[in-house]
Amino acid sequence: KYGKYVMAAAAAVVLGVGASQGFGAWQRSQAEASANLYHQALAGDDARAQLQDTVDGLTDGYALLARFRIAAAFAAEGDMLAAEQAYNALASDGSIPTLYQQAAQLMAVMNAPDDSDTAALQERLAPLVDAGPWQPLALELSAAIDLKAGDRSAAIAKLETLIDLADCGLAGSEDTGDAIKIGAMTRHVDVAESAVVQSAIPALAALAGGIGDRQVRNRGTLGGSVANNDPSACYPSAVLGLGGTVHTNK
C-alpha cells in the first residue's frame, strides 16, 4: 500500500544526496580555479595589476587575500596613499570577518602617508589600542605616532604596557597530543630552540632560526609576525603549509 511512497522518498533522498555532492564538487572546482588564477597573477610580471584584474572572479577567501596583497603591493611601490585607501576599503567592508577588518584598519594607519594628521591616526587606532587581538601591535604603532608628534611620555607609557604583555601567559610551546601549541608571544629564538618544536616540526624550528638577525629573533614573536600579515614573512606561509589553526579571543 505504501510502497510507492517509500520509493518516492528513497528517490528524493538519492536526488538530495546527488545535489549535495554536485554542489560540493562545484565549490571545489571554484576554489581550484581561484587558486590557479591567484597564483598565476602572483607569478606575473606585474602581480598587483594582474590581481586587480582577477580579484572580482575569485572566491571569497582568495579575493580577500588578493585585496590584502594589492594593498601591500601599493605600499612596496611607495604609493602610500593608494595603500592606505586599499586598506581602508577592507576595514570598512562589513562583508568580511571583523578580525580582518581590524587588521586592515591597523595596516591603513601603519601605511598612512608621512604628512597624515597624527591626532586623526590615533583616533583611528583607539579601538584597537583599548582591547582585542591586535592590541600589542596597535600599542606599538600608537607609541611610534606619539614619538613622531613629540609626546615622549605617552609613548613610554604605551611601551611599558607592551612590556607587561610579555608576561601575559601567551609564550611557550607544548605538545598537546594531537597538535603542537605555540603561544602568540613566543619569540622567534624560543621557537627555534624549543625541544618540542625541534622534535615534532624541525622545519619550523629551522625557519624561526633564520628570521632576520639576532636582535629581531630575540624580540620578535610568532603572533606578531602572523598578525602583521606581511605576504613575504615566513610564519604566515608556515601556518598555511602546516594546516595550522590560529586561536584568538574573537
Side-chain angles (χ1 to χ4, degrees):
K1 179 178 179 179
Y2 298 105
K4 61 181 180 180
Y5 299 111
V6 172
M7 292 177 64
V13 169
V14 170
L15 287 172
V17 170
S20 175
Q21 291 179 338
F23 181 69
W26 177 81
Q27 285 184 311
R28 288 191 294 274
S29 69
Q30 290 292 102
E32 289 173 2
S34 288
N36 289 332
L37 285 172
Y38 177 79
H39 289 293
Q40 286 171 9
L42 289 183
D45 293 332
D46 189 343
R48 175 180 59 76
Q50 289 184 251
L51 284 172
Q52 288 176 299
D53 289 340
T54 60
V55 65
D56 290 337
L58 301 177
T59 53
D60 290 347
Y62 280 105
L64 179 60
L65 186 57
R67 291 173 68 188
F68 271 102
R69 291 296 293 259
I70 290 166
F74 278 127
E77 294 166 11
D79 191 343
M80 308 314 291
L81 180 60
E84 182 187 27
Q85 290 173 341
Y87 283 123
N88 278 335
L90 282 159
S92 61
D93 187 347
S95 68
I96 66 176
T98 301
L99 183 70
Y100 297 112
Q101 285 183 274
Q102 292 174 339
Q105 180 69 8
L106 184 70
M107 296 301 292
V109 174
M110 190 180 296
N111 289 280
D114 289 338
D115 60 354
S116 298
D117 180 67
T118 56
L121 293 178
Q122 293 285 27
E123 184 176 350
R124 289 160 59 185
L125 270 181
L128 305 180
V129 168
D130 290 341
W134 304 109
Q135 186 185 37
L137 284 173
L139 277 166
E140 185 176 356
L141 182 54
S142 181
I145 295 172
D146 284 329
L147 287 174
K148 183 178 179 180
D151 193 344
R152 188 168 179 272
S153 60
I156 291 174
K158 289 169 184 174
L159 292 174
E160 286 176 344
T161 302
L162 277 175
I163 293 170
D164 290 342
L165 290 174
D167 298 320
C168 66
L170 292 177
S173 56
E174 63 175 303
D175 187 342
T176 63
D178 58 353
I180 300 301
K181 178 181 176 182
I182 306 175
M185 297 294 289
T186 307
R187 299 177 304 160
H188 307 320
V189 65
D190 295 323
V191 175
E193 296 178 356
S194 166
V196 171
V197 178
Q198 289 176 354
S199 174
I201 321 173
L204 183 62
L207 178 152
I211 293 175
D213 53 28
R214 185 172 297 176
Q215 289 85 351
V216 169
R217 292 192 293 275
N218 276 278
R219 295 297 299 167
T221 64
L222 183 150
S225 175
V226 173
N228 193 44
N229 197 42
D230 184 346
S232 64
C234 299
Y235 281 130
S237 298
V239 171
L240 289 173
L242 292 168
T245 301
V246 178
H247 292 275
T248 76
N249 63 348
K250 297 291 184 182

